[in-house]
Amino acid sequence: MASITYPQSAEAPATPGTLKLVQRERAMIGAHIITALIALLFGIFMGPFQTFHRSPTFVQYFPTIPVFTFYYQAVTVHGVMNALFFTTFFIVGFCYFVTERSLQRPIKSVPMGWAAFASMALGLVLMLFTILTSPQQSAVLYTFYPPMIAPALFYIGLVLLALGSWLASANIFLTYRDWKREHRNERVPLAVFAILVNFIVWCVATVGVALEIVFMLLPASLGILKVTDPQLARTLFWFFGHPLVYFWLLPAYVSWYTMLPRQAGGKLFSEPLARVAFVMFLLFAVPVGVHHQFSDPGISASSKGVQTLLTLVVSIPSFMTAFNVGAALENAARNRGAKTLFDWPFKQKWNDPVVAAQLAGMLLFVAGGFSGLINASAQLNATIHNTSWVPAHFHQTLGGAVMLTYIGILYWLLPAIRGRALFSKRAALAQVFTWLIGMTLFGLAMGEAGLQGVPRRALTSQAPYLTPAGAFWMDVTAISGVILLISSILLFVNVIGTLFFSRQPMPEGEVPIETVSGDRSSPLWLERWGIWLGVIGVLLLIAYGPVVAEVLDFQEGWNIMRFIPTSNAPMP
């Protein structure tokens, strides 16, 4: 394996071809990963305590829940810190590393990279300050659309996060441009191809939430706007909100496609098929957000029908991934001695936390993916809309496939940043399997509770309408919360132990990504990004043109007064 070169710097890796990071990589990538973990520290523990707070039996015996007393503050911290700040910092840091090692060149501009980090870090500080010092006023939840309005610093923090991520995206795009000028007839490595798709999706999707924040939420928070239009704001938010899921998911797919086969001891079945799957994500990830608004008035049945079709289409590349990566894992198992038709799942490296975390995430993703197909149907969605079914699906995908894959990445990337071995492989395995068990139980219990009519994002432990069956399943979620709390503690024991207490040198090992051009059987026209951006534009016109025309009503729409979350009266 070739070593990474630095044409703009004399610095070179101490050990070519290994995971050991040079100082510049360690500083840049380490800053992003450790800041992501700081955000996660605030967000992850709010999850188990919410399950306690929603359980009638738990609250009966423990009326005072530790850590927080205001339920909706915990919901907001949990969603914003985990889903926005942790993921964005982690994705940017991870993608910097993959881009540099795959293309064998540093990112285009180190100062731009640090400027992007500074913007996102300042956004994180402002967000934490606002939520922790104004818990009730800031409790507008992860979805943060009006008429509930948070303090201005809440939205400024979001703007800074988006601005930093755009700078990071530009840095990666420019790095790819320079590489392509030197390799005109070569295919970009698959990992970078996927990263480019991911950041294009991100940059297109964030236009919606940027318009919502800059022209609706921030002016309302500052008192410039006295009335607002929740339906238009919801449409702009979900233009961003569902593609955000793929922004989280595609880096996990980068690991599954380009790293896991090698880590498991096999090889990818088909790289061209993988590229087609990523192109499908590029085209169909953004025009599907309206399926979150199937119960909204004012959106026609025909628009909802189009959204159902588009949402079902975007599931196809995930099925393609299941086939492609599944074949790679079967190949790995055959190399490890699997002989019969059904024994290959048991011949995987279940004793390796890096591999086990990703396999466990895939298992959860199967359940989360099928429950998502229910959400995607305008007819079936009416049964489970705004019930606990929704966070069950959400946590099995984000909390399952995404989070466990990120943990698997962390278990090799953190030692590379620190230059020391993982603190405890045994604790890492215990963490992975307790997370798998806890999140499986959580998904089952919340899904069943949703079918019993239990609402999401509600303090159900104090709800007089809760049925006995609903109360039972909410009590089961508290059990899952205990298991997930143990797993979260184990995660941070390993993180802190690796950073500060590990004394063993990092084991030698190859970088788990390709550092050569992509498969020559992959068509070069797949990298004609202008074509795909044009197709995205057409699909957005089809999917969102009628919807925006239906919800954009200046006469009847802009007549809802701003609202303070802790008050029964509108803001003056």
Side-chain angles (χ1 to χ4, degrees), residues 81-157:
M81 288 296 112
N82 286 356
L84 294 177
F85 284 90
F86 161 68
T87 53
T88 304
F89 275 102
F90 188 94
I91 290 167
V92 170
F94 173 62
C95 290
Y96 279 162
F97 175 81
V98 173
T99 300
E100 291 192 346
R101 290 301 178 101
S102 295
L103 299 184
Q104 291 289 282
R105 63 190 310 123
I107 59 172
K108 174 64 175 181
S109 172
V110 173
M112 184 190 294
W114 282 115
F117 172 79
S119 178
M120 295 192 299
L122 180 57
L124 173 61
V125 170
L126 292 179
M127 181 64 72
L128 281 174
F129 174 81
T130 306
I131 294 177
L132 297 179
T133 58
S134 305
Q136 295 178 320
Q137 290 82 1
S138 300
V140 294
L141 311 181
Y142 146 75
T143 44
F144 60 83
Y145 34 68
M148 294 195 298
I149 299 297
L153 286 179
F154 185 98
Y155 303 118
I156 294 172

Side-chain angles (χ1 to χ4, degrees), residues 262-517:
R262 178 178 296 185
Q263 292 163 336
K267 63 179 181 178
L268 186 64
F269 175 75
S270 172
E271 183 176 307
L273 184 63
R275 291 176 188 258
V276 172
F278 284 119
V279 168
M280 290 192 69
F281 278 122
L282 176 64
L283 299 181
F284 295 102
V286 180
V288 296
V290 179
H291 78 250
H292 288 268
Q293 299 174 260
F294 279 158
S295 295
D296 282 18
I299 300 176
S300 67
S302 59
S303 293
K304 293 174 182 178
V306 170
Q307 288 291 317
T308 296
L309 176 63
L310 290 172
T311 308
L312 293 175
V313 168
V314 83
S315 67
I316 294 174
S318 288
F319 284 112
M320 295 166 64
T321 298
F323 172 81
N324 206 347
V325 177
L329 291 173
E330 181 177 0
N331 173 258
R334 301 297 177 199
N335 294 337
R336 291 172 58 83
K339 301 296 183 183
T340 66
L341 185 61
F342 297 110
D343 67 340
W344 64 268
F346 304 98
K347 292 290 186 178
Q348 304 297 332
K349 293 182 179 179
W350 289 103
N351 62 340
D352 181 347
V354 171
V355 175
Q358 296 176 81
L359 296 177
M362 290 178 182
L363 292 175
L364 286 167
F365 192 57
V366 171
F370 280 110
S371 66
L373 294 176
I374 306 299
N375 302 344
S377 167
Q379 294 77 22
L380 295 175
N381 183 273
T383 304
I384 48 84
H385 177 73
N386 259 346
T387 70
S388 292
W389 175 283
V390 176
H393 157 71
F394 186 78
H395 281 77
Q396 286 178 321
T397 50
L398 174 58
V402 173
M403 185 64 192
L404 277 171
T405 301
Y406 287 9
I407 288 171
I409 294 168
L410 188 68
Y411 283 155
W412 62 259
L413 184 55
L414 194 63
I417 293 170
R418 179 63 180 88
R420 297 287 183 178
L422 188 67
F423 180 67
S424 172
K425 179 180 177 181
R426 184 174 299 178
L429 286 169
Q431 185 274 317
V432 167
F433 291 120
T434 50
W435 191 273
L436 173 62
I437 294 168
M439 197 58 73
T440 300
L441 185 60
F442 178 88
L444 171 65
M446 290 288 278
E448 290 290 343
L451 295 177
Q452 296 296 326
V454 176
R456 65 171 178 153
R457 299 194 299 198
L459 195 52
T460 51
S461 61
Q462 300 177 14
Y465 53 78
L466 205 62
T467 64
F472 168 79
W473 287 113
M474 296 315 298
D475 289 341
V476 174
T477 64
I479 298 173
S480 73
V482 172
I483 300 171
L484 290 168
L485 178 60
I486 293 170
S487 186
S488 301
I489 292 171
L490 287 171
L491 173 63
F492 276 94
V493 164
N494 234 338
V495 167
I496 295 171
T498 303
L499 290 175
F500 299 106
F501 300 106
S502 177
R503 295 292 179 264
Q504 296 296 321
M506 184 182 66
E508 293 293 330
E510 289 188 342
V511 179
I513 52 178
E514 294 294 337
T515 58
V516 296
S517 299

